[in-house]
Amino acid sequence: MIAQSMVGAEPIATGQLSQNTNSLLHFDAAERRYGTPGDTNGEVIAVDGVTCSVAKGSFVALVGASGSGKSTLLKMVNTLVEPSAGRVLFDGEDVTTLKQSQLRRRVGYVFQGIGLFPHFRVGENIAIGPRLTGEQLPAARIAKLLSLVELEPDMASRMPDELSGGQRQRVGVARALAGDPQLLLMDEPFGALDPITRDALGERVRELHEELGLTTVMVTHDMAEALLLADRVLVMDAGQLVADETPRGLLGGAGGEIAQGLVAVPRDQAEKLAAMEESIAAKAAEKAKERAKERARAKAAEEGRAP
C-alpha cells in the first residue's frame, strides 16, 4: 500500500516534485525492508511505500506507536538509513546521489538521546559538523549558536558531563544548526527531559524554526507535543502513513481511528486533570462553607451570652 500526502501544500504527482517549488522534501514510494525478501518469517517491513511531501517553512510532526516506522523514515532523509525501494528527494535531488558533506550541511539532525561526544568540549561538539567538511567554526559563531539556544557563551569550554540533561540537549540543537541548514530533523529530541525543561525547549525550538526560516520534521511519540508544536501531523502505523492532518483537524476528530487513538491519550489525561481540579475545588468550597457556618454559630453563641 502506498500512502500519498502533501504536507503544507497541494498534492503533487509522484516524480513531479520539480514542478512544485514549494516542496523541500519528498518521499517517493519510500520503502525499507530488513531480512530476506520474500521470507515471511524473517523479513521486516519498517517503511512500506510512503509517498508524501513537506513544504518549505513547515513544521511537521511524525507520530506513531513504537515500531511504526517513523524514525526509520526520518533517517532516510540524511541517509542514516537508505531506502530498499523508492526515493527520498531533498530540494528535487535524490539524497543517495548527494555528497555526504553537502547533505550534512544542508540538513541538521538532533539525535535521540542527545549524542554529544563525551571527550569533546561543548564548543568542539557544536563545531564537529563544519569541521568534517573542512571548515573551522569561529568562536564568535559558536557563541552565537549557544545564545540561540539560550545558553551562556562561556559554556563552550565545558565538558558535556558538566551540563544538565536540558543543557546538553540545547547543545545538540546548536550543533544541528551550526551549518545553517535548510532542513532540521529531530528524532525524539525531548524524550529524556523533565516536563518543565521539555516544554521550555520545545517552545524555543519552535521559535527558532520561525526566526531562522527552517523546515522542521520532528519524530515524537507524544501526541500532545505534536499538537502544540507542529503545523501538520503525520501519523504512521505498521510502516504506512495513515493520517495527515492539522492539529485543529485532529482535535476535531479527523484522521481516522489510529490517529484518534493517539489523540485520545492527552485528551483523556486533560479530562482527568480537569475532573481532579473540579473535585478539589468542590471540596475546598465545601470546607469554606463549613468554616463560615462555624463562624456564624460562634457569633450567634457570643451574642446570646452578651448582657
Side-chain angles (χ1 to χ4, degrees):
M1 173 181 172
I2 296 177
Q4 297 190 6
S5 172
M6 178 63 194
V7 182
E10 293 301 317
I12 58 175
T14 300
Q16 298 298 314
L17 181 62
S18 60
Q19 295 181 12
N20 192 311
T21 57
N22 196 40
S23 297
L24 182 66
L25 181 63
H26 183 62
F27 298 94
D28 180 10
E31 184 178 293
R32 178 65 191 187
R33 295 172 180 259
Y34 296 95
T36 305
D39 182 354
T40 55
N41 294 320
E43 187 180 29
V44 175
I45 304 174
V47 176
D48 191 8
V50 169
T51 296
C52 70
S53 295
V54 176
K56 293 178 182 177
S58 58
F59 193 122
V60 177
L62 192 57
V63 303
S66 296
S68 61
K70 55 188 185 296
S71 288
T72 301
L73 186 68
L74 187 81
K75 290 174 181 177
M76 288 185 187
V77 179
N78 59 359
T79 67
L80 290 178
V81 172
E82 291 195 7
S84 303
R87 302 179 301 166
V88 179
L89 304 179
F90 175 57
D91 211 12
E93 299 179 273
D94 189 327
V95 294
T96 61
T97 67
L98 296 173
K99 292 182 178 179
Q100 289 298 305
S101 59
Q102 181 184 14
L103 186 62
R104 295 291 184 264
R105 281 199 67 88
R106 297 169 66 192
V107 180
Y109 186 65
V110 181
F111 291 83
Q112 186 176 13
I114 306 172
L116 298 183
F117 294 104
H119 54 291
F120 283 0
R121 296 187 183 278
V122 165
E124 293 172 315
N125 267 284
I126 292 173
I128 190 65
R131 176 183 168 186
L132 292 174
T133 65
E135 179 186 352
Q136 188 74 24
L137 210 62
R141 174 60 178 161
I142 294 173
K144 174 63 175 177
L145 288 163
L146 285 168
S147 297
L148 284 175
V149 295
E150 299 178 332
L151 293 176
E152 293 299 322
D154 61 9
M155 281 194 174
S157 61
R158 296 190 189 180
M159 301 300 289
D161 63 4
E162 298 179 59
L163 308 181
S164 68
Q167 289 172 331
R168 288 196 295 272
Q169 191 59 294
R170 288 176 186 270
V171 172
V173 173
R175 178 177 60 187
L177 298 174
D180 289 321
Q182 295 170 270
L183 177 66
L184 179 64
L185 305 178
M186 300 191 294
D187 189 4
E188 299 277 10
F190 315 127
L193 304 179
D194 66 85
I196 294 175
T197 303
R198 180 177 187 143
D199 184 61
L201 186 51
E203 288 185 1
R204 183 57 188 150
V205 165
R206 178 69 213 205
E207 291 169 354
L208 288 171
H209 168 84
E210 301 291 346
E211 291 173 15
L212 303 178
L214 296 169
T215 301
T216 303
V217 181
M218 176 184 72
V219 166
T220 179
H221 66 275
D222 188 334
M223 180 57 89
E225 187 171 79
L227 294 171
L228 290 169
L229 295 179
D231 304 319
R232 297 195 70 83
V233 180
L234 303 182
V235 180
M236 290 193 70
D237 181 66
Q240 297 178 352
L241 185 62
V242 296
D244 171 11
E245 295 290 342
T246 64
R248 183 181 294 274
L250 287 170
L251 291 172
E257 182 178 352
I258 293 171
Q260 285 304 307
L262 294 171
V263 173
V265 175
R267 179 179 283 139
D268 289 348
Q269 290 174 335
E271 289 175 353
K272 288 177 182 177
L273 288 172
M276 288 175 63
E277 288 180 339
E278 290 178 4
S279 176
I280 292 170
K283 288 179 181 178
E286 188 63 30
K287 288 182 179 179
K289 287 181 181 179
E290 288 298 323
R291 288 195 294 269
K293 288 179 181 179
E294 289 175 4
R295 287 196 296 268
R297 287 194 293 267
K299 183 178 181 182
E302 183 68 25
E303 291 174 349
R305 291 195 297 271

